[in-house]
Amino acid sequence: MRILNFGSCNIDYVYTVEHIVVPGETVSSSKLELFAGGKGLNQSIAAARAGAKVFHAGCLGNDGGMLKEVLVDSGVDISNVTELDTKNGHAIIQVSSQGENSIFLYPGSNALVTKEIIDSVLKKFGKDDILLLQNEISNVHYIIDEAFSKGMIIAFNPAPFTQSLKSIDFSKIGYLILNETEAMGFTGISDTQLCLDYICNRFKNLTVILTLGKEGSVYRHNDETIHQSAFDVKAVDTTAAGDTFIGYFLASICDGVGIKKALKTASCASAVTVSKMGAAPSIPYMSEVKEALINLKELSLDKRRLTSKKIEAYIEENLKTANLKGIAEILGYTKEYAGTIIKKETGLTFSALLQKKKCEKAAELLTKTTMSVGEIIEETGYANQSFFRKQFKEIYGTTPLNFRKEN
Protein backbone atom coordinates (compact mmCIF):
# COMPACT_ATOMS: atom_id res chain seq x y z
CA MET A 1 0.00 0.00 0.00
CA ARG A 2 1.46 3.35 -1.09
CA ILE A 3 0.68 6.88 0.08
CA LEU A 4 0.33 9.63 -2.51
CA ASN A 5 0.21 13.01 -0.84
CA PHE A 6 -1.05 15.75 -3.16
CA GLY A 7 -0.10 18.65 -0.93
CA SER A 8 1.45 22.01 -0.30
CA CYS A 9 5.10 22.87 0.26
CA ASN A 10 5.82 26.13 2.06
CA ILE A 11 8.77 28.10 3.28
CA ASP A 12 7.97 28.97 6.89
CA TYR A 13 9.18 32.28 8.32
CA VAL A 14 8.94 31.69 12.07
CA TYR A 15 8.99 34.69 14.40
CA THR A 16 9.42 34.11 18.14
CA VAL A 17 7.33 36.61 20.13
CA GLU A 18 6.28 37.04 23.76
CA HIS A 19 2.62 36.80 22.76
CA ILE A 20 0.59 36.56 19.56
CA VAL A 21 0.02 40.03 18.11
CA VAL A 22 -3.52 41.40 18.25
CA PRO A 23 -5.16 43.93 15.88
CA GLY A 24 -3.68 47.41 16.25
CA GLU A 25 -0.62 46.14 18.15
CA THR A 26 3.04 46.18 17.14
CA VAL A 27 5.44 43.76 18.81
CA SER A 28 9.12 42.95 18.41
CA SER A 29 10.33 39.48 17.54
CA SER A 30 13.27 38.05 19.45
CA LYS A 31 14.17 35.60 16.67
CA LEU A 32 13.51 34.82 12.99
CA GLU A 33 14.07 31.33 11.59
CA LEU A 34 13.39 29.75 8.19
CA PHE A 35 12.01 26.22 8.01
CA ALA A 36 10.56 23.90 5.40
CA GLY A 37 6.82 23.60 6.02
CA GLY A 38 3.33 23.44 4.59
CA LYS A 39 0.77 20.85 5.64
CA GLY A 40 1.46 18.72 2.60
CA LEU A 41 5.22 18.62 3.08
CA ASN A 42 4.90 18.07 6.84
CA GLN A 43 2.51 15.15 6.43
CA SER A 44 4.66 13.53 3.74
CA ILE A 45 7.72 13.79 5.96
CA ALA A 46 5.86 12.44 8.98
CA ALA A 47 4.55 9.41 7.08
CA ALA A 48 7.99 8.73 5.55
CA ARG A 49 9.80 9.07 8.88
CA ALA A 50 7.25 6.66 10.30
CA GLY A 51 8.34 4.11 7.70
CA ALA A 52 5.72 4.38 4.95
CA LYS A 53 6.40 4.51 1.20
CA VAL A 54 5.38 8.09 0.39
CA PHE A 55 5.09 9.88 -2.95
CA HIS A 56 4.67 13.65 -2.81
CA ALA A 57 2.90 15.55 -5.60
CA GLY A 58 2.39 19.28 -5.98
CA CYS A 59 4.10 22.40 -7.29
CA LEU A 60 7.32 24.05 -6.13
CA GLY A 61 8.45 27.57 -7.00
CA ASN A 62 11.87 28.67 -8.19
CA ASP A 63 12.89 29.33 -4.58
CA GLY A 64 11.86 25.90 -3.29
CA GLY A 65 15.22 24.14 -3.38
CA MET A 66 15.38 23.67 0.38
CA LEU A 67 11.95 22.03 0.29
CA LYS A 68 13.12 19.40 -2.22
CA GLU A 69 16.12 18.65 -0.05
CA VAL A 70 14.19 18.05 3.14
CA LEU A 71 11.67 15.80 1.35
CA VAL A 72 14.42 13.69 -0.21
CA ASP A 73 16.44 13.56 3.03
CA SER A 74 13.35 12.22 4.83
CA GLY A 75 12.84 9.45 2.28
CA VAL A 76 9.95 10.96 0.30
CA ASP A 77 9.73 10.23 -3.44
CA ILE A 78 9.51 13.59 -5.30
CA SER A 79 9.31 12.30 -8.88
CA ASN A 80 5.74 13.64 -9.08
CA VAL A 81 6.62 17.17 -7.97
CA THR A 82 6.27 19.89 -10.65
CA GLU A 83 8.69 22.84 -10.59
CA LEU A 84 7.42 26.21 -11.82
CA ASP A 85 9.07 29.56 -12.55
CA THR A 86 7.23 31.45 -9.83
CA LYS A 87 7.47 32.18 -6.13
CA ASN A 88 6.90 29.29 -3.77
CA GLY A 89 4.12 29.38 -1.21
CA HIS A 90 5.19 30.61 2.20
CA ALA A 91 3.85 31.13 5.71
CA ILE A 92 4.37 33.80 8.32
CA ILE A 93 4.25 32.12 11.73
CA GLN A 94 4.23 33.72 15.16
CA VAL A 95 5.21 31.43 18.04
CA SER A 96 4.58 32.74 21.56
CA SER A 97 6.57 31.98 24.72
CA GLN A 98 3.70 29.65 25.70
CA GLY A 99 4.11 27.56 22.54
CA GLU A 100 0.97 28.86 20.82
CA ASN A 101 1.11 29.83 17.15
CA SER A 102 -0.64 32.08 14.66
CA ILE A 103 -0.21 31.57 10.91
CA PHE A 104 -1.09 33.25 7.64
CA LEU A 105 -0.27 31.87 4.22
CA TYR A 106 0.73 33.11 0.77
CA PRO A 107 -0.30 30.30 -1.65
CA GLY A 108 2.24 30.98 -4.41
CA SER A 109 3.05 27.84 -6.40
CA ASN A 110 0.61 25.77 -4.30
CA ALA A 111 -2.29 27.52 -6.06
CA LEU A 112 -1.03 26.45 -9.49
CA VAL A 113 -1.83 22.73 -9.36
CA THR A 114 -3.74 22.24 -12.62
CA LYS A 115 -6.06 19.45 -13.74
CA GLU A 116 -3.43 18.42 -16.30
CA ILE A 117 -0.82 18.02 -13.55
CA ILE A 118 -3.31 16.06 -11.44
CA ASP A 119 -4.20 13.70 -14.30
CA SER A 120 -0.55 13.00 -15.10
CA VAL A 121 0.14 12.04 -11.48
CA LEU A 122 -3.00 10.03 -10.71
CA LYS A 123 -2.57 7.75 -13.73
CA LYS A 124 0.38 6.16 -11.85
CA PHE A 125 -1.75 5.16 -8.85
CA GLY A 126 -4.81 3.04 -8.36
CA LYS A 127 -7.02 0.84 -6.20
CA ASP A 128 -6.01 0.52 -2.53
CA ASP A 129 -3.35 3.24 -2.72
CA ILE A 130 -3.99 5.99 -0.17
CA LEU A 131 -4.46 9.56 -1.38
CA LEU A 132 -3.65 12.09 1.34
CA LEU A 133 -5.02 15.57 0.76
CA GLN A 134 -5.32 18.91 2.58
CA ASN A 135 -6.79 22.28 1.58
CA GLU A 136 -3.66 24.28 0.75
CA ILE A 137 -3.51 23.59 -3.00
CA SER A 138 -5.81 24.27 -5.95
CA ASN A 139 -8.37 21.87 -7.47
CA VAL A 140 -9.00 19.86 -4.30
CA HIS A 141 -12.51 18.87 -5.42
CA TYR A 142 -11.19 17.58 -8.75
CA ILE A 143 -8.47 15.52 -7.07
CA ILE A 144 -11.03 13.85 -4.79
CA ASP A 145 -13.37 13.01 -7.66
CA GLU A 146 -10.61 11.58 -9.85
CA ALA A 147 -8.95 9.61 -7.06
CA PHE A 148 -12.28 8.12 -6.02
CA SER A 149 -13.00 7.02 -9.59
CA LYS A 150 -9.70 5.11 -9.51
CA GLY A 151 -10.62 3.29 -6.30
CA MET A 152 -8.06 5.06 -4.12
CA ILE A 153 -8.59 5.34 -0.36
CA ILE A 154 -8.90 9.07 0.35
CA ALA A 155 -7.66 10.53 3.63
CA PHE A 156 -8.71 14.17 3.82
CA ASN A 157 -7.46 16.79 6.26
CA PRO A 158 -9.73 19.83 5.62
CA ALA A 159 -7.21 22.43 6.74
CA PRO A 160 -7.38 25.31 6.54
CA PHE A 161 -11.18 25.15 6.64
CA THR A 162 -13.12 27.16 4.04
CA GLN A 163 -16.84 27.20 3.31
CA SER A 164 -16.20 25.71 -0.15
CA LEU A 165 -15.28 22.41 1.51
CA LYS A 166 -18.90 21.86 2.50
CA SER A 167 -19.72 21.04 -1.14
CA ILE A 168 -17.37 18.03 -1.19
CA ASP A 169 -19.05 14.65 -1.54
CA PHE A 170 -17.93 13.07 1.71
CA SER A 171 -19.24 9.67 0.65
CA LYS A 172 -16.03 9.55 -1.41
CA ILE A 173 -13.81 10.10 1.64
CA GLY A 174 -12.40 7.16 3.60
CA TYR A 175 -10.73 9.01 6.49
CA LEU A 176 -11.69 12.52 7.60
CA ILE A 177 -9.02 13.80 9.99
CA LEU A 178 -9.66 17.22 11.51
CA ASN A 179 -9.29 19.33 14.63
CA GLU A 180 -11.93 21.09 16.74
CA THR A 181 -11.79 24.35 14.76
CA GLU A 182 -12.31 22.57 11.45
CA ALA A 183 -15.07 20.39 12.90
CA MET A 184 -16.89 23.46 14.18
CA GLY A 185 -16.56 25.05 10.74
CA PHE A 186 -18.34 22.08 9.16
CA THR A 187 -21.02 21.60 11.79
CA GLY A 188 -21.40 24.84 13.76
CA ILE A 189 -21.23 22.62 16.87
CA SER A 190 -18.66 23.07 19.63
CA ASP A 191 -19.17 19.82 21.55
CA THR A 192 -16.96 16.88 20.50
CA GLN A 193 -19.63 14.22 20.87
CA LEU A 194 -22.25 16.22 19.02
CA CYS A 195 -19.78 17.03 16.22
CA LEU A 196 -19.02 13.37 15.70
CA ASP A 197 -22.71 12.47 15.82
CA TYR A 198 -23.55 15.13 13.25
CA ILE A 199 -20.82 14.12 10.77
CA CYS A 200 -21.20 10.36 11.14
CA ASN A 201 -24.99 10.46 10.94
CA ARG A 202 -24.82 12.36 7.67
CA PHE A 203 -22.09 10.23 6.10
CA LYS A 204 -22.39 6.53 6.86
CA ASN A 205 -19.18 4.45 6.77
CA LEU A 206 -17.00 7.57 6.98
CA THR A 207 -14.14 7.17 9.45
CA VAL A 208 -13.68 10.37 11.46
CA ILE A 209 -10.68 11.21 13.63
CA LEU A 210 -11.02 14.37 15.69
CA THR A 211 -7.82 15.71 17.29
CA LEU A 212 -8.30 17.59 20.56
CA GLY A 213 -4.89 18.89 21.61
CA LYS A 214 -4.21 18.10 25.28
CA GLU A 215 -7.43 16.08 25.40
CA GLY A 216 -6.06 13.60 22.87
CA SER A 217 -8.11 12.37 19.92
CA VAL A 218 -11.35 10.55 19.18
CA TYR A 219 -11.85 7.92 16.47
CA ARG A 220 -15.35 7.14 15.21
CA HIS A 221 -16.42 4.60 12.59
CA ASN A 222 -20.07 3.57 12.56
CA ASP A 223 -20.79 2.44 16.14
CA GLU A 224 -17.15 2.16 17.21
CA THR A 225 -15.64 5.03 19.21
CA ILE A 226 -12.07 5.05 20.54
CA HIS A 227 -10.57 7.82 22.66
CA GLN A 228 -6.79 8.19 22.72
CA SER A 229 -5.15 10.30 25.43
CA ALA A 230 -2.43 12.85 24.73
CA PHE A 231 1.09 12.40 26.09
CA ASP A 232 2.60 14.59 28.78
CA VAL A 233 5.27 16.91 27.35
CA LYS A 234 6.17 20.59 27.65
CA ALA A 235 4.86 22.31 24.50
CA VAL A 236 7.40 24.53 22.75
CA ASP A 237 5.84 24.86 19.28
CA THR A 238 2.59 23.21 18.16
CA THR A 239 2.97 24.11 14.46
CA ALA A 240 3.29 20.59 12.99
CA ALA A 241 1.51 18.61 15.72
CA GLY A 242 -1.57 17.75 13.65
CA ASP A 243 0.47 17.00 10.54
CA THR A 244 2.68 14.59 12.47
CA PHE A 245 -0.38 12.85 13.90
CA ILE A 246 -1.85 12.36 10.42
CA GLY A 247 1.36 11.10 8.86
CA TYR A 248 2.04 8.61 11.63
CA PHE A 249 -1.57 7.41 11.77
CA LEU A 250 -1.69 6.65 8.03
CA ALA A 251 1.76 5.06 8.09
CA SER A 252 0.53 2.79 10.89
CA ILE A 253 -2.55 1.90 8.85
CA CYS A 254 -0.30 0.98 5.90
CA ASP A 255 1.75 -1.15 8.27
CA GLY A 256 -1.38 -3.11 9.17
CA VAL A 257 -1.48 -2.38 12.91
CA GLY A 258 -4.82 -2.01 14.69
CA ILE A 259 -6.59 1.30 15.10
CA LYS A 260 -5.79 1.57 18.81
CA LYS A 261 -2.06 1.14 18.22
CA ALA A 262 -2.15 3.53 15.26
CA LEU A 263 -3.83 6.22 17.38
CA LYS A 264 -1.42 5.75 20.26
CA THR A 265 1.65 5.91 18.01
CA ALA A 266 0.32 9.00 16.23
CA SER A 267 -0.47 10.72 19.53
CA CYS A 268 3.01 10.02 20.89
CA ALA A 269 4.69 11.24 17.69
CA SER A 270 2.64 14.43 17.89
CA ALA A 271 3.77 14.96 21.49
CA VAL A 272 7.43 14.62 20.49
CA THR A 273 6.85 17.19 17.75
CA VAL A 274 5.42 19.88 20.02
CA SER A 275 8.45 19.58 22.31
CA LYS A 276 10.65 21.02 19.53
CA MET A 277 10.79 24.22 17.49
CA GLY A 278 9.89 24.36 13.80
CA ALA A 279 7.59 22.45 11.49
CA ALA A 280 9.38 19.80 9.42
CA PRO A 281 12.53 19.79 11.60
CA SER A 282 10.48 18.89 14.67
CA ILE A 283 8.89 15.77 13.15
CA PRO A 284 10.48 12.67 14.72
CA TYR A 285 11.67 9.43 13.19
CA MET A 286 10.04 6.17 14.28
CA SER A 287 13.03 5.21 16.45
CA GLU A 288 12.48 8.36 18.54
CA VAL A 289 8.77 7.69 18.81
CA LYS A 290 9.34 4.11 19.98
CA GLU A 291 11.59 5.41 22.73
CA ALA A 292 9.03 8.07 23.68
CA LEU A 293 6.29 5.41 23.90
CA ILE A 294 8.33 3.81 26.65
CA ASN A 295 9.34 6.97 28.51
CA LEU A 296 6.41 9.40 28.13
CA LYS A 297 3.25 9.19 30.23
CA GLU A 298 -0.23 9.49 28.83
CA LEU A 299 -2.31 12.29 30.31
CA SER A 300 -5.25 11.15 32.42
CA LEU A 301 -8.62 12.05 30.98
CA ASP A 302 -10.49 14.68 32.94
CA LYS A 303 -13.78 12.86 32.56
CA ARG A 304 -15.60 15.29 34.81
CA ARG A 305 -14.60 18.25 32.66
CA LEU A 306 -15.54 16.38 29.48
CA THR A 307 -18.96 15.55 30.92
CA SER A 308 -19.53 19.16 31.99
CA LYS A 309 -18.60 20.35 28.50
CA LYS A 310 -21.14 17.97 26.96
CA ILE A 311 -23.87 19.24 29.27
CA GLU A 312 -23.04 22.90 28.60
CA ALA A 313 -22.84 22.39 24.83
CA TYR A 314 -26.11 20.47 24.67
CA ILE A 315 -28.04 23.20 26.48
CA GLU A 316 -26.37 25.99 24.50
CA GLU A 317 -27.19 24.38 21.15
CA ASN A 318 -30.71 23.26 22.11
CA LEU A 319 -31.78 26.14 24.35
CA LYS A 320 -35.42 26.15 23.27
CA THR A 321 -35.95 22.38 23.27
CA ALA A 322 -33.40 21.03 25.79
CA ASN A 323 -34.78 18.32 28.06
CA LEU A 324 -33.50 15.64 30.40
CA LYS A 325 -34.18 12.83 27.95
CA GLY A 326 -32.08 14.57 25.29
CA ILE A 327 -29.04 15.09 27.51
CA ALA A 328 -29.41 11.53 28.86
CA GLU A 329 -29.04 10.21 25.31
CA ILE A 330 -25.94 12.35 24.76
CA LEU A 331 -24.36 11.11 27.99
CA GLY A 332 -25.45 7.53 27.39
CA TYR A 333 -27.34 7.21 30.68
CA THR A 334 -30.92 6.70 31.83
CA LYS A 335 -32.87 9.89 32.58
CA GLU A 336 -32.64 9.22 36.30
CA TYR A 337 -28.88 8.65 36.34
CA ALA A 338 -28.29 11.58 33.98
CA GLY A 339 -30.12 13.81 36.46
CA THR A 340 -27.85 12.55 39.24
CA ILE A 341 -24.71 13.16 37.17
CA ILE A 342 -25.81 16.69 36.21
CA LYS A 343 -26.45 17.58 39.85
CA LYS A 344 -23.05 16.17 40.81
CA GLU A 345 -21.14 17.96 38.06
CA THR A 346 -22.88 21.34 38.12
CA GLY A 347 -24.39 21.58 41.60
CA LEU A 348 -27.82 22.19 40.05
CA THR A 349 -30.72 20.05 38.93
CA PHE A 350 -31.17 19.88 35.17
CA SER A 351 -34.23 22.13 35.41
CA ALA A 352 -32.40 24.74 37.47
CA LEU A 353 -29.38 24.62 35.17
CA LEU A 354 -31.58 25.07 32.12
CA GLN A 355 -33.35 28.08 33.64
CA LYS A 356 -29.96 29.58 34.55
CA LYS A 357 -28.69 29.20 31.00
CA LYS A 358 -31.88 30.62 29.51
CA CYS A 359 -31.71 33.65 31.77
CA GLU A 360 -28.03 34.14 30.96
CA LYS A 361 -28.92 34.18 27.27
CA ALA A 362 -31.76 36.60 27.97
CA ALA A 363 -29.38 38.88 29.88
CA GLU A 364 -26.96 38.82 26.95
CA LEU A 365 -29.72 39.74 24.49
CA LEU A 366 -30.96 42.53 26.78
CA THR A 367 -27.54 44.20 26.84
CA LYS A 368 -26.34 43.49 23.29
CA THR A 369 -29.50 43.84 21.19
CA THR A 370 -32.60 46.02 20.89
CA MET A 371 -34.94 43.03 20.95
CA SER A 372 -38.11 43.51 23.00
CA VAL A 373 -38.62 41.46 26.14
CA GLY A 374 -41.34 39.52 24.34
CA GLU A 375 -38.96 38.66 21.49
CA ILE A 376 -36.29 37.60 23.97
CA ILE A 377 -38.75 35.38 25.81
CA GLU A 378 -39.58 33.67 22.52
CA GLU A 379 -35.90 33.42 21.54
CA THR A 380 -34.99 31.66 24.79
CA GLY A 381 -37.85 29.19 24.57
CA TYR A 382 -40.14 30.34 27.37
CA ALA A 383 -43.83 29.61 26.84
CA ASN A 384 -44.92 31.54 29.91
CA GLN A 385 -43.90 35.20 30.29
CA SER A 386 -44.69 35.31 34.00
CA PHE A 387 -42.50 32.29 34.65
CA PHE A 388 -39.63 33.88 32.73
CA ARG A 389 -39.89 37.16 34.66
CA LYS A 390 -39.98 35.27 37.95
CA GLN A 391 -36.91 33.19 37.06
CA PHE A 392 -35.00 36.21 35.78
CA LYS A 393 -35.68 38.21 38.96
CA GLU A 394 -34.62 35.32 41.18
CA ILE A 395 -31.26 35.11 39.38
CA TYR A 396 -30.51 38.80 38.71
CA GLY A 397 -32.52 40.48 41.46
CA THR A 398 -34.35 42.83 39.12
CA THR A 399 -36.77 42.89 36.20
CA PRO A 400 -35.56 42.44 32.61
CA LEU A 401 -36.25 46.09 31.70
CA ASN A 402 -34.44 47.41 34.75
CA PHE A 403 -31.53 45.07 34.00
CA ARG A 404 -31.30 46.58 30.50
CA LYS A 405 -31.32 50.13 31.89
CA GLU A 406 -28.66 49.34 34.47
CA ASN A 407 -26.38 47.58 32.03
Side-chain angles (χ1 to χ4, degrees):
M1 183 180 287
R2 301 176 296 174
I3 297 175
L4 169 64
N5 183 4
F6 234 121
S8 59
C9 293
N10 283 340
I11 301 170
D12 288 348
Y13 296 84
V14 181
Y15 296 83
T16 301
V17 292
E18 178 60 31
H19 63 271
I20 304 300
V21 67
V22 298
E25 182 183 26
T26 300
V27 300
S28 294
S29 170
S30 60
K31 188 190 301 183
L32 167 62
E33 298 172 282
L34 266 64
F35 297 108
K39 288 188 172 296
L41 178 141
N42 293 340
Q43 292 175 20
S44 282
I45 288 174
R49 291 182 182 178
K53 181 61 177 175
V54 182
F55 296 80
H56 191 92
C59 294
L60 290 181
N62 51 25
D63 52 345
M66 66 178 288
L67 305 177
K68 288 174 60 177
E69 290 179 12
V70 72
L71 285 167
V72 171
D73 289 346
S74 296
V76 178
D77 186 302
I78 62 168
S79 58
N80 295 287
V81 171
T82 301
E83 297 184 60
L84 302 173
D85 188 19
T86 188
K87 286 294 182 182
N88 204 92
H90 65 257
I92 302 297
I93 303 173
Q94 300 176 64
V95 178
S96 75
S97 58
Q98 291 76 42
E100 298 174 326
N101 66 68
S102 177
I103 305 171
F104 73 85
L105 302 171
Y106 169 70
S109 53
N110 295 311
L112 300 176
V113 178
T114 64
K115 292 181 179 179
E116 291 73 23
I117 290 173
I118 294 164
D119 291 340
S120 69
V121 172
L122 288 182
K123 69 182 181 182
K124 305 172 189 176
F125 297 84
K127 185 175 174 57
D128 296 332
D129 286 329
I130 292 178
L131 170 73
L132 174 56
L133 189 63
Q134 313 81 32
N135 192 34
E136 288 185 340
I137 63 172
S138 50
N139 283 310
V140 168
H141 289 65
Y142 182 78
I143 297 173
I144 290 174
D145 291 341
E146 293 302 303
F148 179 79
S149 71
K150 296 175 68 65
M152 298 182 74
I153 301 166
I154 302 173
F156 184 41
N157 172 219
F161 174 78
T162 58
Q163 291 297 320
S164 65
L165 295 181
K166 289 185 176 181
S167 63
I168 286 174
D169 183 355
F170 281 88
S171 66
K172 297 179 179 180
I173 305 297
Y175 295 93
L176 179 65
I177 310 174
L178 68 174
N179 64 23
E180 289 177 283
T181 301
E182 292 140 14
M184 188 181 299
F186 275 115
T187 66
I189 300 171
S190 59
D191 177 73
T192 302
Q193 180 71 38
L194 296 177
C195 265
L196 288 170
D197 290 343
Y198 178 91
I199 295 171
C200 293
N201 287 338
R202 289 191 65 192
F203 305 103
K204 304 298 183 183
N205 299 318
L206 175 65
T207 296
V208 182
I209 301 156
L210 185 57
T211 58
L212 305 168
K214 291 182 179 179
E215 292 181 9
S217 58
V218 181
Y219 167 99
R220 171 78 71 83
H221 178 70
N222 293 330
D223 295 329
E224 182 182 20
T225 300
I226 301 172
H227 193 290
Q228 170 60 49
S229 300
F231 283 76
D232 189 12
V233 294
K234 181 181 179 181
V236 175
D237 180 3
T238 61
T239 304
D243 297 331
T244 301
F245 181 98
I246 292 168
Y248 265 81
F249 176 80
L250 293 177
S252 297
I253 295 300
C254 289
D255 201 31
V257 307
I259 293 297
K260 288 185 178 180
K261 185 174 180 181
L263 290 170
K264 185 172 184 176
T265 302
S267 182
C268 186
S270 182
V272 175
T273 296
V274 303
S275 67
K276 304 175 184 179
M277 281 295 296
S282 70
I283 298 171
Y285 285 87
M286 180 57 87
S287 57
E288 189 177 358
V289 174
K290 287 181 177 179
E291 183 178 346
L293 281 166
I294 297 171
N295 297 322
L296 293 181
K297 293 182 179 180
E298 293 184 54
L299 292 169
S300 298
L301 291 178
D302 188 346
K303 292 184 178 179
R304 176 168 180 159
R305 186 159 67 91
L306 291 175
T307 300
S308 296
K309 284 179 67 177
K310 287 182 182 180
I311 296 168
E312 295 269 347
Y314 169 75
I315 293 176
E316 179 182 338
E317 290 156 11
N318 301 275
L319 194 61
K320 288 185 177 182
T321 59
N323 57 74
L324 188 55
K325 180 181 178 182
I327 188 59
E329 290 176 354
I330 294 297
L331 298 176
Y333 300 135
T334 64
K335 285 174 59 178
E336 292 74 17
Y337 189 60
T340 301
I341 290 294
I342 291 167
K343 181 70 180 292
K344 181 180 178 181
E345 302 300 332
T346 68
L348 298 171
T349 65
F350 176 77
S351 178
L353 179 63
L354 179 59
Q355 300 312 317
K356 178 174 179 287
K357 292 298 181 183
K358 285 188 173 187
C359 287
E360 286 177 354
K361 181 64 176 179
E364 179 186 349
L365 295 173
L366 283 165
T367 56
K368 294 184 177 180
T369 75
T370 59
M371 294 172 67
S372 69
V373 173
E375 290 172 328
I376 291 172
I377 289 171
E378 182 179 350
E379 180 68 21
T380 50
Y382 280 99
N384 187 304
Q385 290 199 18
S386 297
F387 182 69
F388 162 72
R389 294 176 190 277
K390 179 183 177 183
Q391 292 294 317
F392 192 90
K393 190 168 185 179
E394 285 181 1
I395 294 174
Y396 291 100
T398 186
T399 66
L401 286 179
N402 284 337
F403 181 87
R404 171 173 275 170
K405 290 176 183 177
E406 294 165 1
N407 291 276

